[in-house]
Amino acid sequence: MMVTLALGLWGIRRKNSMWGDESVTYQLAHRSLAHIWRTVQHVDLVHALYYTLMHGLFRLFGGELLTLRLPSVVAMSLAAAGVGLLGHRLAGPRAGLLAGLVFPLIPQIQLYAQEGRSYAMVCALVTWSTYLLVRTVSRPSLVRWCAYGLAILLAGLLHEFAILAVAAHSAVSRCCWVPASIRPVVGR
């Protein structure tokens, strides 16, 4: 997590320049909520929640480039922590540590960690929903299922492609996480 945070903060302002989609986020998030809503009814509906969130952050912390990108750095750091915990839970402490340390070195992770768009938040929510699913399948409870559902719902509201994680979760849980009580016993 700390490696991701450090790499994400390094050069975060990039000479105070923005690329096209970041500029759209910056401009829309500075408008009123009513204007954001009117805009997303015609274009970019998929980013409505993100624009609304950024609108609130700009009002609280000012509309600077750092405010635009810092949520992505924090989200990707949380995703790295989730990757590490998931690796630990599924393959042991060394695998978890290695996964958490290698994750921030992936070029796309570094890119999205410093990008003022919703992708880092989606990555964090899908990662944590996966971790919650693994925990929930091993020890089911209503609270855990609700936490998983909330995480995947928020990811889907931030970007529609995140909902594809539900299909992956379903496929993996069917083949790999079948409770011992209903697993077929080989050799009987």
Side-chain angles (χ1 to χ4, degrees):
M1 180 175 173
M2 298 310 289
V3 173
T4 310
L5 186 63
L7 288 174
L9 291 174
W10 180 44
I12 193 170
R13 294 180 196 242
R14 288 187 233 131
K15 299 179 185 176
N16 289 322
S17 65
M18 273 185 250
W19 69 284
D21 281 354
E22 281 185 313
S23 175
V24 171
T25 299
Y26 187 84
Q27 291 173 20
L28 267 174
H30 277 90
R31 297 179 181 170
S32 70
L33 289 176
H35 192 265
I36 292 171
W37 179 244
R38 280 193 305 274
T39 302
V40 298
Q41 287 178 351
H42 302 288
V43 65
D44 256 358
L45 180 60
V46 67
H47 297 298
L49 178 61
Y50 181 69
Y51 294 147
T52 304
L53 175 66
M54 292 309 298
H55 173 82
L57 290 175
F58 283 159
R59 290 190 52 112
L60 284 173
F61 301 109
E64 297 182 23
L65 187 59
L66 185 61
T67 306
L68 176 67
R69 291 185 177 147
L70 195 56
S72 293
V73 173
V74 171
M76 204 56 86
S77 297
L78 291 171
V83 166
L85 282 173
L86 199 52
H88 181 272
R89 184 154 183 104
L90 295 174
R94 282 190 211 151
L97 179 62
L98 186 60
L101 290 174
V102 169
F103 180 78
L105 302 178
I106 299 169
Q108 288 304 106
I109 299 305
Q110 291 180 7
L111 172 75
Y112 291 133
Q114 288 189 342
E115 186 173 278
R117 295 297 279 176
S118 65
Y119 309 121
M121 291 179 190
V122 172
C123 180
L125 285 164
V126 168
T127 301
W128 280 97
S129 69
T130 304
Y131 177 76
L132 289 167
L133 178 65
V134 169
R135 288 196 63 209
T136 301
V137 169
S138 67
R139 287 185 50 211
S141 76
L142 180 60
V143 171
R144 287 182 181 183
W145 280 117
C146 288
Y148 165 75
L150 180 62
I152 203 70
L153 174 67
L154 287 173
L157 289 172
L158 282 171
H159 201 286
E160 79 271 17
F161 287 147
I163 219 64
L164 294 173
V166 174
H169 290 161
S170 175
V172 170
S173 67
R174 287 178 191 217
C175 75
C176 302
W177 294 319
V178 178
S181 61
I182 60 172
R183 244 184 246 144
V185 178
V186 178
R188 278 196 184 176

